[in-house]
Each structure stands twice: as structure tokens, then as C-alpha cells.
């Protein structure tokens, strides 16, 4: 069974631009969560989608948004990028209906210059 | 407030020595508990989990963890570490709201 796939692995963007990251969950998993990892703040929860609906949201500004498609693939978008958005963005996949066991992708390393 | 604490930022052990990484949480009920490992530049790999039942759980790579309700702890152990165990270890807790709250991580260094 294939694992969680995140694309791209690396991105370099300029301040003020926007970026879209993609996550394909494990087959059969309906929940996708996004996390931001930085040296200063550690791992922080962004949001969770289940069956195309946002079910949970963390404490991030509205510049951070996401969506989920009918095949459970998810995208997250960050608009008006700031230097502080530089981070490793991790996607986690779980069944979502029973058992909160989450499996993570390799992450997308975003650098904002 | 719900929180997860990993009191050790960095631990150094000799290859072949035993290891214990500490994790405490603050919550009124028993949450779902996890340990993840992260190598540099990589994602998180699930080592083991505790949902209910036997309080000593076995995971991959020879790791085990023990849940102690009275101490709100879920410490990770390994009897004999290998150089390949050098990585960062994260304790994570699901407080029943479909999201993981992570500790700050413990960086493990192995010396020959």
C-alpha cells in the first residue's frame, strides 16, 4: 500500500506570492491533516479535512487555507507569503472514522525569500 | 489546558546502552498516545501507539512504551540503541478532537 505523498518536496517563493501544496493520502483514508513545523514553534496543527469538509482548524491566519477533493486528495494554499511562513509542511492521513492513527508524508520544505 | 511535555531537549547515549525518553501530558481523561521519529529533512514515522488495554506497548525498531495513568506519562524505551536510532523523537497526543498535539521533541545523539 502506498504511503502519503506530498508534492512538491521543495519550494522557494518570494514574499507576497502565494503557494499551493498537495497531499495524496493512503488509499482508503478519508481524513487529511496539515501541520507546520518550524524550529521556533515546533509542530503546529493547521487544519483537518474529512470527506471534503474542514472538521478542525488550528490558530493560523486566514492566509492559510485548504481543501479536499472527492478522492480525498488535499491541497493547502498560503497567500501573501511572509518570511515567517518558511517551514516544513507535513500532511497526515488517517481513516478518520475510527482510530486516530495518523501517517505522515515526507513533507514540503517551503522557503520564502 | 491540554498540553504535552518532553522535558529533555537533547539526550546523548552510547551505542548499546539503554534509552528512555520522557513524555507527560495534561488532560483529565486518557487520550490516545503516540511516539513518532523524524530523521533530518524527513517526515514523521509512527513508532508505536496506545489507545487502551495493556499499558506496555511494543512498536517498530525494538521500541516500547509504557503508559502510566497515575503519572500522566508515556515514556519511550529501548534496551539497546543502535547508531541508526539517532534522530528526533516526538511524543504526540490526540485529546479526542482529531488533531495531534506534539511535544517539543527530544534529539537523540548516539556516540560510538
Amino acid at each position: 500500500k502506498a504511503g502519503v505523498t506530498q508534492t512538491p518536496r521543495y519550494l522557494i517563493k518570494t514574499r507576497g506570492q502565494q503557494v499551493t501544496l498537495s497531499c495524496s493520502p493512503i488509499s482508503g483514508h478519508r481524513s487529511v491533516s496539515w501541520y507546520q513545523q518550524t524550529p521556533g514553534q515546533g509542530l503546529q496543527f493547521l487544519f483537518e479535512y474529512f470527506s471534503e469538509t474542514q472538521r478542525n482548524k488550528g490558530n493560523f491566519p486566514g492566509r492559510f487555507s485548504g481543501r479536499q477533493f472527492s478522492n480525498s486528495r488535499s491541497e493547502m494554499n498560503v497567500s501573501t507569503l511572509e518570511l515567517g511562513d518558511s517551514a516544513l509542511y507535513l500532511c497526515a492521513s488517517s481513516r478518520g472514522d475510527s482510530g486516530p492513527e495518523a501517517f505522515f508524508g515526507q513533507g514540503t520544505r517551503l522557503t520564502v525569500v | 489546558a491540554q498540553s504535552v511535555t518532553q522535558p529533555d531537549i537533547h539526550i546523548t547515549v552510547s551505542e548499546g546502552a539503554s534509552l528512555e525518553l520522557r513524555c507527560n501530558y495534561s488532560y483529565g481523561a486518557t487520550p490516545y498516545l503516540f511516539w513518532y521519529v523524524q530523521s533530518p529533512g524527513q517526515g514523521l514515522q509512527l513508532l508505536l501507539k496506545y489507545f487502551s488495554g495493556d499499558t506496555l506497548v511494543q512498536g517498530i525498531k525494538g521500541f516500547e512504551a509504557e503508559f502510566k495513568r497515575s503519572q500522566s506519562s508515556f515514556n519511550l524505551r529501548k534496551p539497546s540503541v543502535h547508531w541508526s536510532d539517532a534522530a528526533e523523537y516526538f511524543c504526540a497526543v490526540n485529546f479526542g478532537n482529531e488533531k495531534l498535539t506534539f511535544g517539543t521533541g527530544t534529539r537523540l545523539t548516539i556516540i560510538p
Side-chain angles (χ1 to χ4, degrees), chain A:
Chain A
K1 187 186 270 193
V4 181
T5 303
Q6 291 189 245
T7 56
R9 288 294 310 276
Y10 303 92
L11 269 177
I12 300 176
K13 290 288 188 178
T14 304
R15 271 183 303 173
Q17 287 186 313
Q18 74 164 14
V19 66
T20 299
L21 313 182
S22 180
C23 173
S24 294
I26 293 170
S27 178
H29 284 192
R30 296 162 63 192
S31 171
V32 173
S33 298
W34 290 88
Y35 293 82
Q36 181 196 65
Q37 185 177 27
T38 60
Q41 299 298 316
L43 281 151
Q44 293 186 288
F45 172 78
L46 280 155
F47 30 64
E48 184 235 356
Y49 286 86
F50 177 78
S51 292
E52 302 179 67
T53 301
Q54 187 181 86
R55 194 161 62 169
N56 282 287
K57 188 177 188 307
N59 296 322
F60 278 81
R63 300 186 296 109
F64 292 82
S65 62
R67 59 177 175 169
Q68 187 179 34
F69 302 94
S70 59
N71 62 357
S72 294
R73 189 177 71 85
S74 177
E75 291 180 345
M76 68 163 280
N77 184 277
V78 188
S79 62
T80 319
L81 283 166
E82 301 177 359
L83 295 179
D85 297 333
S86 295
L88 181 66
Y89 289 88
L90 292 163
C91 165
S93 152
S94 67
R95 286 171 50 187
D97 51 3
S98 64
E101 192 170 353
F103 299 89
F104 283 80
Q106 294 296 295
T108 294
R109 170 71 64 185
L110 172 64
T111 302
V112 182
V113 297

Side-chain angles (χ1 to χ4, degrees), chain B residues 78-98:
Chain B
K78 186 169 185 177
S80 175
V81 298
H82 185 262
W83 64 266
S84 60
D85 293 324
E88 187 142 24
Y89 292 79
F90 292 93
C91 178
V93 179
N94 180 314
F95 293 109
N97 53 7
E98 300 299 328

